[in-house]
Amino acid sequence: MEDLEMDDEETLCAETWLKPSSGNSIPQPNQPSFTNFTLPKDQPACEDPSLLDFGVRIGTSFSKYSLAPDHHGQSLQSNNSNRNQGNVNQQINEALQVGKAQDWDPPAMLNNLSFLEQKIHQLQGMVHIIGVRRGQILQQSDEIAMQQQQMITADLTSIIVQLISTAGSLLPLVKHNFAGPTDGATGQHNRQMSEILCNPGLGLNATNTGESHGRGGPNIPNQSNQAGPTGDTAHSHPLDERELKEEDDADEGENLPPGSYEILQLEKEEILAPHTHFCTICGKGFKRDANLRMHMRGHGDEYKTPEALAKPNKGNGSEAMLLKRYSCPFVGCKRNKDHKKFQPLKTILCVKNHYKRTHCDKSYICSRCNTKKFSVIADLKTHEKHCGKDKWLCSCGTTFSRKDKLFGHIALFQGHTPAIPLDESKGAEGLFEQGQATSGEKTKVAQSINFSFHTGSHNGSGVKNIMDVKGSIDDPCSYFSPINMNSFNEFSGAAFDDPDGGFSFFIPDSCNYDQKNDLDVVLQASEQ
Amino acid sequence: MSIVEALTADLLARVYRHLSCETDRKAWRLVCKEFHRVDSVSRPSIRVLRVEFLDSLLRKYTRIESLDLSVCPRIDDGTVSILLSGAADLFTPAVWRVIPPRFDSVKWTGRLRRLVLSHSTGLRHSGLEQLVRACPMLESIDVSYSQGFGDREAAAVSLAVGLRELKMDKCLGLTDVGLAKIAVGCPRLEKLSLKWCLEIGDLGVDLLCKKCFSLKFLDLSYLKVTNDSLRSIAPLISLEVLSILGCSLVDDVGLQFLGDGCPSLRVIDVSRCDAVSSSGIISIIRGHDCLEQLKASFSLVEVTPSLVDSLKDLKALTSFRIDGARASDCSLQSFSKNFKNLSEIGLSKCTGVTDIGIIQLVSGSSNLRLLDLTCCHSITDAAVFSVSNSCRNLTCLKLESCSIITEKGLYYLGSFCLLLEELDLTDCSCINNTGLKYLSRCSKLRSLKLGLCMCISDQGLCHIASNCKNIYELDLYKCCSIGDEGLEALSSSCKRLKILNISYCTRITDKGLEYISKLEELSDLDMRGLVQVTCLGITALAAGCKRLANLDMKHCQSVNDSGFWALAHHSRNLRQVNLSYSNISDLGLCMMMGNLTRLQDAKLLHLSNVTVQGFELALRACCMRIKKVKLVTSLRYRLSREIIETLHSRGCKIRWD
């Protein structure tokens, strides 16, 4: 069973990492790094949400490591960098963490990282263009696809090489793991890429550039496994056995003729059981057979032989065996084998995720927004890393991380409009009030009746004062328009320290302009 | 017992409807009470200068459907809420309170169809929302050039469900989100102008086109939209007018989309689209043989034969502008053969235009109304002759910088083009008084530009004045020989003059300004550099020209404070003033700024007699209503922070020079 989906089983990874210390095939120099890795496990659960967020990006198993408090600086740093490249940067980060005990030069590292970021960004653009083209040209020859793939592969390889050289001095473990395959064949590069680009939603996977890329899912844990006891690299695991997290969508295009595969259907209880692999000796449960095999080594030397550690099915002649596909036990579901348009699920993991997502209660609630619910914890974690950052909000309450997605949504649904965040206008409003306040300070109390137009104009009481003045036209104060009046008085008082002096340069009879005449002037027609 | 009694109110109202000019309507109002009443009940639109009177006016005029608040110094949310609240009584001056209003005053909001709020600085979303909610019949809103108009304000506007027309030019705060609000909220939108809304992008336009199918008019000028937008626009079946002026990211591929879509398109403007070439325009033409107007100014490098070829298909074309392109004689010739209906041709700044080309062009286009030959430097009298001879219906001719045209050309114009209303002869330095004498036969002339024509003098101006009584715009910029006598003739006969430019006509003295002061309708006066004019002239001007709204007296150094006092006292309609390089003092400036209650824009550069304190005082006196002020940069740090902040918070734009 090569089910390598990220999971939330806390002990598993630590165990996997710890066990090798007693193994015979572990390269000894790696030992310190392992201890480093495992140390954070004893730390209390993360307190900083941004850190949690960051951890989720890498995958659960790594989140534990990344929580090490002395990495705050780094993780925040990468948090600030382009989100789209997050996963790769996390990788770099992760690499940095491993080497934390050694001396390193943060500015130089930062330099390198930003260079890498730039390169990745370029690559991203390229992949995006390919994706768009592909969308337009339906019939694309395999040759072109292959060329594109190779182009991307080459670029990625160079990025990886640089990444490794950046991390190299700090990172004996990673260096050790990567040095071999780097100069291998293209296929090996592919593997590397899929190992490094662990986040299924991003990078190559997002564009599905190729089968092996598209399915290069969350396999970092996998690599961790391999980096451990066997001392082997990723070679031993065929890529097509790795699963994409959103398997439901990924196998949408698979059109196997009925009968060309064997249909298996698990029962509900089986699907929802936390573990599927149990140790026959101690009864401990595991989600993955590989982990069980690792575990078994602790029970005696007979489990440490290569045969015992190898995949049970390996070499059994897969051509002889029928492909295995799975059916959902929920009757009426499209994924149920009795459905007319039955679409089989590829792996047990798919069955589990599908069943939980579609037929189970959504029991995981996002702790930040308290609205989004999920039935698969990995979905929750994926959400949490975006939660709060989705600034594109629809009037229906749906949030989007991208503007075009929001606009697509609005175009689709009648009556939905984009929502404008509330705090946006606060700044301007505040300034306005402030302006009024500052001009208000200088006003003398005696003039404050008039001045209330200043302050009141906003809430509407101001105009009343105008009209009061207008009403009592023979009052000397109404010689000028009230606006003019109060602002002027107010200022002359402040500037000259002589409240009366301010008036001295007004022409006396400018006040008694005829109101009716004025009305005529005021009344300007514009016949449209 | 006069004729007035014989006419019923209904007939009077019919007569009233034929009055197109504001002054005529004013005269009508003053005839008698009955006429005044007819004015009150028939008037459909109103433009107010002071919001205090608005409510009483709206009570008086019971048929108002269109309200224009664009020249009100300040409309803000508070004013709006007062206007709309029941406490409208407070607006009524004491005199009117005695007379109970004849009609229900609250109802004006119910009949309002059109609302002009352009250039507003204080109106925010809450005020707009109140207004829009109160006026259920609103069909047209204009919020162009509003400062601080953003997405929230757009959201408020989008509450006007029945909106058909919306103008949002240069609302810099508007983004795709605001546009989306409007697109969703106002599905019946037919006319939309988004000129200069620089934040709008493809996404917004795309959504707009998906939601507002009935769009007929769309202006996307100067937006950073790409071909994607044109792709979105192409499916709009009712779109008739599309303007993508200055959209430099649009190219021929985008025009191809338009060529394949927009079946109702009649008018398209692709001027100043740098990436567009003639092949793009050809693709538009191929798709739309009913095109009436095609504007491609400053987009094309050359009028290619293939373009001219494809133009042949456009039988309905009436207006065609290819300013700035290279237009050879033969291409112009093939024009004339194909377009008998053409009424408007723009060839300004076209290179390669010669007499022969023009002669061939006009020989077939007898219906031409407008011809723009600005900066076609090699045009001579021969071309003018054939233009006047062939196009007898010509109303507008622009010959700026066609400097070899002489009085002969004007002779032909005066002999044949008697319908001419607009003529631009700026910088035609060979024009002399004899020429103007010939020209004066065009008695319908309304706008005449003679700037930089150094040879003309008072005598020529007298000819024009004596015959062209309808002139409302006259430009005499740097006509150095013009003096007071010319202005005397002008003021005695051209009573309709509204816009006058006498900058740098240095012979003009106080006497000249006294003559000008007799022009009651004058609203724009540009009198830069009149060094002989003193406070006496200005006082006369201020006392006489009550409608003066725009005054430029830069470099009028001989005017002292009493002149400015007179302006402050009399010119109460002044909205824009330029006082740069004048001798105004602290007190004069404070008087001007404090007393001119409709002043919205002031340019105050290099005032040597004004202290920092004077500026401070003056700005404080006008900070409630001023919208724009231009000051020297050095003042920026000498003025108190407080006044600058106050101005900013009140929506006033300060330009530091």
Side-chain angles (χ1 to χ4, degrees):
Chain A
M1 179 63 219
E2 284 300 314
D3 177 5
L4 295 166
E5 165 61 30
M6 299 182 255
D7 66 294
D8 50 335
E9 195 178 342
E10 303 300 326
T11 54
L12 173 64
C13 294
E15 203 174 282
T16 326
W17 284 110
L18 272 174
K19 289 280 168 171
S21 55
S22 63
N24 47 12
S25 59
I26 325 133
Q28 281 307 311
N30 290 345
Q31 193 51 40
S33 339
F34 283 123
T35 358
N36 279 342
F37 255 54
T38 49
L39 264 178
K41 180 194 160 238
D42 300 318
Q43 302 282 339
C46 61
E47 52 286 290
D48 185 345
S50 72
L51 276 177
L52 169 68
D53 181 18
F54 156 64
V56 167
R57 229 167 247 275
I58 308 175
T60 321
S61 50
F62 271 110
S63 76
K64 287 200 294 282
Y65 305 130
S66 64
L67 289 174
D70 45 344
H71 293 143
H72 278 216
Q74 289 164 18
S75 33
L76 287 176
Q77 195 182 81
S78 80
N79 252 348
N80 291 338
S81 69
N82 193 328
R83 297 273 171 218
N84 291 339
Q85 295 154 22
N87 59 338
V88 178
N89 282 340
Q90 304 302 349
Q91 285 303 305
I92 296 166
N93 238 324
E94 199 268 319
L96 289 177
Q97 286 159 12
V98 176
K100 68 175 175 175
Q102 296 168 23
D103 286 336
W104 60 290
D105 180 17
M109 181 67 71
L110 198 59
N111 244 352
N112 284 335
L113 291 186
S114 55
F115 173 75
L116 277 170
E117 190 182 355
Q118 222 173 354
K119 284 207 81 163
I120 290 164
H121 201 71
Q122 286 169 358
L123 188 63
Q124 214 177 10
M126 205 156 80
V127 175
H128 181 71
I129 289 166
I130 292 170
V132 169
R133 293 238 173 94
R134 188 166 289 200
Q136 289 170 346
I137 308 157
L138 293 170
Q139 294 281 324
Q140 194 178 29
S141 72
D142 287 342
E143 197 185 334
I144 293 172
M146 186 67 92
Q147 276 175 358
Q148 286 171 347
Q149 190 179 326
Q150 276 172 1
M151 195 163 67
I152 300 217
T153 306
D155 273 18
L156 271 173
T157 312
S158 90
I159 290 173
I160 291 159
V161 169
Q162 275 160 15
L163 182 62
I164 289 164
S165 75
T166 306
S169 59
L170 309 174
L171 202 59
L173 172 69
V174 174
K175 199 173 175 182
H176 170 81
N177 281 334
F178 278 24
T182 308
D183 43 29
T186 321
Q188 285 171 328
H189 291 316
N190 283 351
R191 277 170 221 182
Q192 279 179 359
M193 276 181 289
S194 32
E195 280 157 16
I196 285 178
L197 296 168
C198 63
N199 192 325
L202 297 163
L204 284 173
N205 295 329
T207 51
N208 278 329
T209 45
E211 182 70 0
S212 60
H213 291 194
R215 299 171 66 193
N219 38 38
I220 279 295
N222 175 23
Q223 202 206 324
S224 321
N225 286 343
Q226 290 148 5
T230 55
D232 198 359
T233 51
H235 303 218
S236 58
H237 298 276
L239 278 161
D240 53 356
E241 286 179 3
R242 296 187 182 144
E243 299 303 338
L244 189 67
K245 196 164 124 198
E246 277 87 22
E247 191 65 38
D248 286 7
D249 307 322
D251 67 351
E252 214 50 84
E254 189 185 59
N255 272 324
L256 292 173
S260 69
Y261 52 89
E262 178 188 0
I263 300 174
L264 300 173
Q265 183 168 305
L266 283 82
E267 284 317 305
K268 183 187 161 195
E269 289 71 26
E270 223 175 326
I271 289 170
L272 297 177
H275 306 298
T276 47
H277 306 278
F278 294 94
C279 174
T280 47
I281 298 166
C282 66
K284 189 169 170 56
F286 295 92
K287 277 191 173 179
R288 297 171 184 154
D289 185 45
N291 294 335
L292 174 62
R293 276 179 274 134
M294 298 296 161
H295 165 84
M296 292 308 282
R297 289 170 307 165
H299 287 301
D301 282 344
E302 67 265 36
Y303 299 109
K304 289 178 186 169
T305 58
E307 293 77 42
L309 286 167
K311 272 177 73 180
N313 289 341
K314 183 123 181 167
N316 269 7
S318 56
E319 64 279 352
M321 279 182 61
L322 268 176
L323 278 167
K324 274 183 189 162
R325 289 295 179 261
Y326 297 86
S327 154
C328 170
F330 193 92
V331 179
C333 174
K334 200 180 180 185
R335 304 295 199 173
N336 183 273
K337 60 191 174 196
D338 299 328
H339 192 276
K340 260 188 266 172
K341 294 177 182 172
F342 171 57
Q343 281 188 319
L345 292 153
K346 256 187 205 167
T347 65
I348 291 184
L349 179 70
C350 299
V351 177
K352 287 184 165 187
N353 280 343
H354 161 78
Y355 193 83
K356 285 185 194 164
R357 281 182 187 138
T358 326
H359 311 298
C360 289
D361 285 342
K362 297 185 172 183
S363 48
Y364 300 108
I365 303 173
C366 173
S367 56
R368 291 198 206 174
C369 61
N370 275 323
T371 46
K372 285 270 187 183
K373 293 178 180 174
F374 304 91
S375 46
V376 177
I377 197 153
D379 290 353
L380 170 69
K381 299 211 162 158
T382 313
H383 161 78
E384 274 180 336
K385 70 186 167 192
H386 295 298
C387 183
K389 275 174 261 160
D390 289 351
K391 51 178 186 167
W392 301 105
L393 178 68
C394 178
S395 55
C396 67
T398 321
T399 55
F400 299 86
S401 56
R402 280 165 55 182
K403 189 179 174 188
D404 53 339
K405 298 290 175 199
L406 168 67
F407 275 66
H409 168 87
I410 287 164
L412 204 61
F413 295 99
Q414 207 69 39
H416 288 211
T417 64
I420 302 166
L422 279 168
D423 50 353
E424 191 187 278
S425 70
K426 285 288 178 199
E429 203 97 322
L431 190 64
F432 188 59
E433 302 294 349
Q434 194 190 347
Q436 285 177 333
T438 48
S439 60
E441 278 163 32
K442 293 211 170 181
T443 323
K444 300 217 163 130
V445 184
Q447 293 153 356
S448 64
I449 304 163
N450 271 343
F451 187 70
S452 69
F453 182 77
H454 280 250
T455 48
S457 62
H458 194 63
N459 54 31
S461 69
V463 189
K464 183 176 168 180
N465 287 307
I466 304 183
M467 294 331 297
D468 281 346
V469 175
K470 282 284 156 208
S472 54
I473 201 89
D474 31 15
D475 182 282
C477 276
S478 59
Y479 282 166
F480 307 100
S481 86
I483 309 162
N484 160 17
M485 193 59 190
N486 57 48
S487 50
F488 213 84
N489 280 357
E490 161 212 333
F491 188 75
S492 59
F496 293 138
D497 275 331
D498 175 15
D500 299 322
F503 285 100
S504 60
F505 46 78
F506 280 94
I507 305 166
D509 61 338
S510 68
C511 52
N512 48 25
Y513 71 94
D514 185 298
Q515 203 195 355
K516 209 166 179 189
N517 255 347
D518 199 63
L519 251 181
D520 271 333
V521 181
V522 161
L523 206 70
Q524 280 198 358
S526 55
E527 205 111 298
Q528 305 295 331
Chain B
M1 296 308 109
S2 64
I3 184 165
V4 175
E5 287 197 352
L7 293 170
T8 62
D10 178 47
L11 288 172
L12 278 177
R14 282 188 181 208
V15 176
Y16 175 82
R17 260 174 241 146
H18 287 279
L19 302 178
S20 56
C21 173
E22 162 55 19
T23 36
D24 295 342
R25 277 196 299 265
K26 186 180 174 186
W28 171 283
R29 277 202 294 278
L30 297 174
V31 171
C32 65
K33 272 189 180 170
E34 184 59 21
F35 273 51
H36 194 269
R37 209 185 66 77
V38 167
D39 175 60
S40 315
V41 297
S42 320
R43 190 186 175 97
S45 68
I46 194 167
R47 188 167 80 135
V48 286
L49 283 167
R50 292 184 65 173
V51 74
E52 300 93 287
F53 302 109
L54 183 58
D55 192 71
S56 52
L57 288 172
L58 289 169
R59 281 160 187 254
K60 239 176 87 182
Y61 293 95
T62 53
R63 287 277 166 81
I64 297 294
E65 288 181 350
S66 162
L67 175 61
D68 185 345
L69 298 174
S70 60
V71 286
C72 273
R74 271 197 77 85
I75 291 280
D76 58 23
D77 296 352
T79 332
V80 167
S81 63
I82 282 290
L83 255 181
L84 297 173
S85 71
D89 258 0
L90 297 165
F91 274 96
T92 329
V95 198
W96 292 355
R97 272 188 210 160
V98 188
I99 313 159
R102 246 182 271 179
F103 300 91
D104 191 359
S105 63
V106 190
K107 289 283 163 63
W108 65 269
T109 51
R111 29 170 216 271
L112 210 61
R113 288 174 188 277
R114 183 166 178 272
L115 192 54
V116 181
L117 298 167
S118 62
H119 297 95
S120 77
T121 53
L123 207 53
R124 289 289 169 275
H125 59 100
S126 61
L128 267 172
E129 191 175 329
Q130 288 179 52
L131 257 180
V132 167
R133 280 192 195 280
C135 307
M137 303 287 281
L138 266 184
E139 286 178 356
S140 163
I141 298 181
D142 182 352
V143 288
S144 43
Y145 304 99
S146 291
Q147 212 182 351
F149 188 95
D151 292 341
R152 276 162 194 291
E153 285 70 26
V157 167
S158 73
L159 297 171
V161 187
L163 208 63
R164 288 172 192 276
E165 238 184 283
L166 181 58
K167 209 172 165 193
M168 301 198 284
D169 294 359
K170 209 161 186 180
C171 290
L172 295 172
L174 185 74
T175 69
D176 287 341
V177 172
L179 184 60
K181 282 263 178 203
I182 284 166
V184 174
C186 316
R188 276 178 253 173
L189 216 56
E190 286 175 5
K191 235 178 140 175
L192 179 64
S193 178
L194 296 169
K195 200 172 178 174
W196 284 117
C197 294
L198 297 176
E199 298 293 314
I200 301 282
D202 288 334
L203 281 175
V205 174
D206 183 54
L207 189 72
L208 177 76
C209 299
K210 279 180 185 155
K211 296 283 181 184
C212 303
F213 303 112
S214 43
L215 269 179
K216 286 182 179 165
F217 175 103
L218 185 59
D219 189 345
L220 301 177
S221 301
Y222 300 104
L223 299 194
K224 291 195 180 71
V225 293
T226 65
N227 294 337
D228 292 345
S229 280
L230 296 189
R231 197 208 311 253
S232 318
I233 287 170
L236 290 176
I237 45 170
S238 343
L239 194 73
E240 292 173 3
V241 182
L242 176 66
S243 181
I244 49 169
L245 181 77
C247 294
S248 48
L249 300 179
V250 165
D251 60 25
D252 293 344
V253 181
L255 296 188
Q256 182 79 48
F257 293 131
L258 285 184
D260 298 337
C262 297
S264 314
L265 201 67
R266 284 188 296 106
V267 178
I268 183 154
D269 189 346
V270 290
S271 302
R272 294 183 197 276
C273 295
D274 303 328
V276 161
S277 75
S278 52
S279 71
I281 292 178
I282 290 170
S283 63
I284 292 186
I285 293 170
R286 288 219 179 105
H288 304 92
D289 47 7
C290 295
L291 216 59
E292 287 170 20
Q293 288 185 38
L294 177 58
K295 290 177 189 166
S297 310
F298 306 105
S299 295
L300 299 180
V301 181
E302 188 163 11
V303 185
T304 56
S306 55
L307 176 62
V308 175
D309 250 13
S310 63
L311 277 170
K312 282 176 188 159
D313 304 330
L314 301 179
K315 298 296 176 207
L317 197 70
T318 58
S319 170
F320 185 60
R321 297 199 71 112
I322 44 163
D323 307 304
R326 188 174 169 76
S328 61
D329 294 343
C330 54
S331 59
L332 290 180
Q333 181 188 13
S334 45
F335 260 105
S336 64
K337 282 183 184 157
N338 297 303
F339 302 109
K340 304 291 178 200
N341 298 327
L342 215 55
S343 69
E344 198 180 321
I345 298 181
L347 296 172
S348 76
K349 303 207 175 179
C350 280
T351 47
V353 175
T354 63
D355 280 352
I356 302 163
I358 295 295
I359 290 167
Q360 285 170 337
L361 175 72
V362 295
S363 61
S365 324
S366 54
N367 287 318
L368 215 58
R369 300 282 159 91
L370 183 149
L371 183 59
D372 188 349
L373 298 174
T374 303
C375 295
C376 294
H377 301 288
S378 45
I379 297 295
T380 69
D381 292 332
V384 178
F385 169 71
S386 76
V387 167
S388 0
N389 197 21
S390 326
C391 317
R392 306 270 172 128
N393 294 326
L394 204 66
T395 56
C396 175
L397 180 61
K398 299 195 175 176
L399 296 170
E400 185 185 337
S401 287
C402 298
S403 39
I404 25 183
I405 288 174
T406 66
E407 74 259 25
K408 266 193 203 161
L410 297 191
Y411 173 76
Y412 302 129
L413 279 177
S415 315
F416 303 118
C417 295
L418 298 178
L419 297 176
L420 204 62
E421 287 179 9
E422 220 182 311
L423 181 61
D424 189 347
L425 293 170
T426 307
D427 211 4
C428 294
S429 38
C430 298
I431 302 295
N432 55 20
N433 290 335
T434 331
L436 291 187
K437 186 182 173 185
Y438 296 134
L439 184 66
S440 67
R441 272 183 260 170
C442 302
S443 57
K444 303 219 170 189
L445 218 52
R446 297 182 72 233
S447 165
L448 180 59
K449 293 188 178 165
L450 298 168
L452 296 165
C453 296
M454 308 285 192
C455 304
I456 60 166
S457 67
D458 293 337
Q459 208 190 338
L461 200 54
C462 289
H463 291 303
I464 295 288
S466 57
N467 286 320
C468 310
K469 312 259 185 201
N470 286 327
I471 283 202
Y472 85 96
E473 181 182 7
L474 183 61
D475 186 351
L476 298 170
Y477 178 81
K478 279 197 181 167
C479 295
C480 316
S481 321
I482 296 287
D484 298 338
E485 297 95 68
L487 295 182
E488 183 183 9
L490 203 65
S491 63
S492 59
S493 54
C494 301
K495 290 290 185 192
R496 298 247 168 197
L497 202 64
K498 272 180 105 167
I499 304 166
L500 179 62
N501 190 338
I502 46 170
S503 296
Y504 305 107
C505 299
T506 39
R507 284 184 53 213
I508 292 174
T509 66
D510 287 341
K511 211 159 186 201
L513 282 200
E514 269 173 46
Y515 294 128
I516 289 178
S517 70
K518 289 177 191 154
L519 297 166
E520 283 182 16
E521 288 192 31
L522 196 68
S523 70
D524 290 46
L525 179 62
D526 204 332
M527 46 175 286
R528 289 186 183 188
L530 299 193
V531 283
Q532 297 198 49
V533 172
T534 69
C535 58
L536 293 175
I538 295 294
T539 309
L541 178 79
C545 303
K546 290 283 188 194
R547 288 182 164 273
L548 206 59
N550 193 343
L551 179 65
D552 190 338
M553 40 194 303
K554 194 174 170 181
H555 288 296
C556 288
Q557 284 140 350
S558 316
V559 181
N560 65 19
D561 255 14
S562 59
F564 295 110
W565 283 37
L567 282 174
H569 176 37
H570 294 292
S571 301
R572 310 197 61 97
N573 278 316
L574 265 186
R575 289 206 294 276
Q576 281 184 52
V577 73
N578 186 352
L579 302 176
S580 304
Y581 297 96
S582 67
N583 272 326
I584 195 167
S585 73
D586 280 0
L587 290 190
L589 188 64
C590 294
M591 280 297 307
M592 290 275 285
M593 302 300 273
N595 224 22
L596 295 175
T597 49
R598 279 155 219 162
L599 197 65
Q600 296 176 13
D601 181 355
K603 296 192 176 86
L604 309 171
L605 302 180
H606 304 290
L607 305 180
S608 49
N609 289 341
V610 180
T611 62
V612 177
Q613 213 173 27
F615 274 113
E616 182 105 18
L617 196 67
L619 289 174
R620 192 167 288 272
C622 65
C623 67
M624 278 304 290
R625 57 183 174 273
I626 197 101
K627 285 180 181 173
K628 231 169 157 181
V629 64
K630 194 172 177 183
L631 299 167
V632 271
T633 320
S634 60
L635 275 176
R636 187 172 199 158
Y637 303 104
R638 290 159 71 202
L639 285 173
S640 75
R641 178 180 279 276
E642 183 204 332
I643 181 67
I644 292 175
E645 273 173 13
T646 310
L647 283 171
H648 276 306
S649 68
R650 299 227 171 258
C652 173
K653 237 186 242 172
I654 307 180
R655 257 181 78 192
W656 302 101
D657 193 71

